[in-house]
Amino acid sequence: MKRVGIVGARGYTGRELIRILLKHPAVRLTYLAATLDDPQPISRIFPEFVGQTDLACEKFTLTRAVKQCDLVFLALPHTVSLSVVPKLMARRLKVIDLSADYRIRNCGTYERWYHKAHTDLLNLKRSVYGLPELYRERIKKAVLVANPGCYPTAAILGCAPVLAAGCVDPKDIVIDAKSGVSGAGKKATLDYSLAELEGNFKGYKFAAHQHAPEIDQELTKLAASKVGVVFCPHLLPVSRGIFETIYLRMTKNMSLEKVHDLYRKFYKGETFVRVKPLGESPELKHVNQTNYCDIGLAMDASRRLLIVASAEDNLIKGASGQAVQNMNLMIGSPETTALL
Ligand SMILES: NC(=O)c1ccc[n+]([C@@H]2O[C@H](COP(=O)([O-])OP(=O)(O)OC[C@H]3O[C@@H](n4cnc5c(N)ncnc54)[C@H](OP(=O)(O)O)[C@@H]3O)[C@@H](O)[C@H]2O)c1
């Protein structure tokens, strides 16, 4: 049994991690932490856990984390992980970080988008980008996993087969993304209130969202040349789920059937990526509360435009489910444990 802790356990992704880990047969949840001053039973904070665990959530301290855990999930806001990871790594704990702090390879890019200098180059070099479908073998040996962002997961999985095969123009990619509000964490601001959201739909941070450099970095690796991506996120009036419509310009004369075949082959054997039959679109209702990313394909043949639809639950395949998928690889459990 591995002893596992969560720092940031009172947040949205922390809550999902608790739910998934409580049904995992090879791990024991031994430590929950957040910012609160006095410990409180997690079942009082989240009553759905009454009868499932007596564990208390307490203020994070390094001593307690090291004493209680073999592996720690950090479900902390961006830039906070940066001060916690080096301490945990120095005490030889394995870490899965859900923030962006160890995802961006270039420190200048990190500083530009997250407004803080990267102060932990040693661990940045050791970290592995936690997208199992692309980096499975490296994740198995990792001591620090940078769990991907929610928007980037859907975008990368949606583009990977055609970019890797070199049959689309890497300089001409448009990602039209929509997310439910839990993507922003448990913020209590006017923008996220029911009165503002209900019956509404809006875009935000067009070509200026902090996930753009992460998408850029990973798509560039796949294409083996610098990509040109326009990333436009929108806020859906629903609590969870991400749907991205991605437009890619074909450079090879391929039928939609051939492209579909390419996607099916690329994801053959992958439990958590489901390529839809032609003519069917993914839907949030089919992926929410699951660790699946569903991908649908269409083509405007006259303009050689490939249209990819990619959908996932932002809190599961886009965060906590994928983090557990990574943990399974790191501890040698079957990859799907507690996720189906
Ligand atoms: N939400 C998503 O869909 C999603 C998807 C992918 C990745 N992520 C990333 O995952 C991370 C967590 O996101 P979230 O949505 O779960 O955020 P959240 O709901 O805002 O929760 C953040 C948690 O971090 C805790 N915290 C903040 N500062 C802390 C500190 N110094 N020490 C200990 N705990 C601290 C908070 O404690 P209190 O409860 O005490 O305030 C809270 O429990 C973020 O980096 C986010 O970008 C989120």
Side-chain angles (χ1 to χ4, degrees):
M1 279 282 197
K2 290 276 176 217
R3 299 168 312 148
V4 170
I6 303 167
V7 186
R10 279 205 306 180
Y12 283 170
T13 59
R15 184 182 200 160
E16 288 297 328
L17 279 168
I18 299 170
R19 190 183 57 74
I20 299 169
L21 291 168
L22 281 176
K23 56 182 185 179
H24 199 296
V27 306
R28 195 153 53 88
L29 206 48
T30 47
Y31 181 65
L32 299 175
T35 62
L36 67 189
D37 286 328
D38 298 318
Q40 255 191 54
I42 196 69
S43 57
R44 190 172 317 147
I45 300 167
F46 299 134
E48 69 264 33
F49 299 129
V50 170
Q52 293 188 46
T53 177
D54 297 329
L55 210 54
C57 185
E58 57 192 63
K59 192 181 182 74
F60 170 69
T61 66
L62 181 65
T63 322
R64 290 276 298 158
V66 169
K67 191 164 168 234
Q68 299 289 111
C69 309
D70 305 308
L71 181 147
V72 174
F73 291 91
L74 298 182
L76 296 167
H78 303 312
T79 73
V80 178
S81 289
L82 206 46
S83 56
V84 178
V85 167
K87 294 175 192 155
L88 295 174
M89 297 296 290
R91 304 297 294 270
R92 296 181 184 278
L93 265 70
K94 289 192 175 179
V95 176
I96 299 173
D97 179 30
L98 276 74
S99 86
D101 291 353
Y102 292 83
R103 295 181 202 150
I104 307 285
R105 300 279 127 206
N106 182 298
C107 294
T109 307
Y110 176 82
E111 188 168 350
R112 196 155 57 249
W113 288 88
Y114 291 94
H115 315 294
K116 184 169 176 164
H118 207 296
T119 46
D120 185 20
L121 299 190
L122 176 70
N123 290 312
L124 182 60
K125 282 203 185 112
R126 301 161 89 183
S127 73
V128 175
Y129 191 72
L131 195 58
E133 289 75 13
L134 297 186
Y135 301 116
R136 182 166 288 116
E137 293 312 312
R138 293 191 58 210
I139 295 165
K140 283 181 187 169
K141 294 183 210 129
V143 285
L144 170 60
V145 162
N147 211 60
C150 46
Y151 280 130
T153 296
I156 299 160
L157 292 174
C159 295
V162 272
L163 275 181
C167 51
V168 291
D169 181 355
K171 294 256 175 267
D172 191 8
I173 302 171
V174 177
I175 304 175
D176 175 12
K178 303 108 192 156
S179 174
V181 281
S182 60
K186 56 168 192 172
K187 287 192 183 73
T189 59
L190 182 62
D191 272 357
Y192 298 97
S193 70
L194 181 69
E196 294 299 315
L197 290 166
E198 197 271 329
N200 200 5
F201 178 65
K202 62 180 178 183
Y204 67 104
K205 294 188 181 174
F206 279 1
H209 190 279
Q210 67 277 11
H211 282 169
E214 185 181 334
I215 294 171
D216 218 75
Q217 168 184 294
E218 292 303 313
L219 296 191
T220 294
K221 269 196 247 167
L222 279 161
S225 72
K226 182 87 184 93
V227 292
V229 182
V230 179
F231 175 62
C232 291
H234 301 74
L235 197 56
L236 284 171
V238 298
S239 64
R240 59 203 291 164
I242 280 183
F243 193 108
E244 299 185 6
T245 314
I246 306 169
Y247 302 89
L248 300 128
R249 187 80 54 193
M250 299 295 301
T251 49
K252 286 192 182 150
N253 196 6
M254 284 171 81
S255 65
L256 178 58
E257 288 70 22
K258 275 237 159 88
V259 177
H260 187 247
D261 216 38
L262 180 75
Y263 272 73
R264 296 285 275 240
K265 283 197 181 119
F266 193 92
Y267 288 120
K268 190 160 184 265
E270 293 296 346
T271 305
F272 295 119
V273 182
R274 301 185 296 196
V275 181
K276 305 284 289 180
L278 285 178
E280 289 183 23
S281 171
E283 293 184 27
L284 292 189
K285 280 197 172 160
H286 302 162
V287 291
N288 274 355
Q289 311 287 346
T290 80
N291 196 48
Y292 292 113
C293 175
D294 280 0
I295 293 175
L297 301 171
M299 198 184 286
D300 180 337
S302 63
R303 295 198 290 159
R304 286 190 161 191
L305 201 61
L306 174 67
I307 304 157
V308 181
S310 180
E312 65 176 19
D313 185 323
N314 55 293
L315 291 174
I316 306 189
K317 183 58 176 165
S320 307
Q322 182 140 266
V324 173
Q325 197 181 342
N326 283 317
M327 180 198 76
N328 286 338
L329 290 168
M330 292 163 85
I331 68 172
S333 277
E335 194 172 326
T336 57
T337 309
L339 294 170
L340 288 174

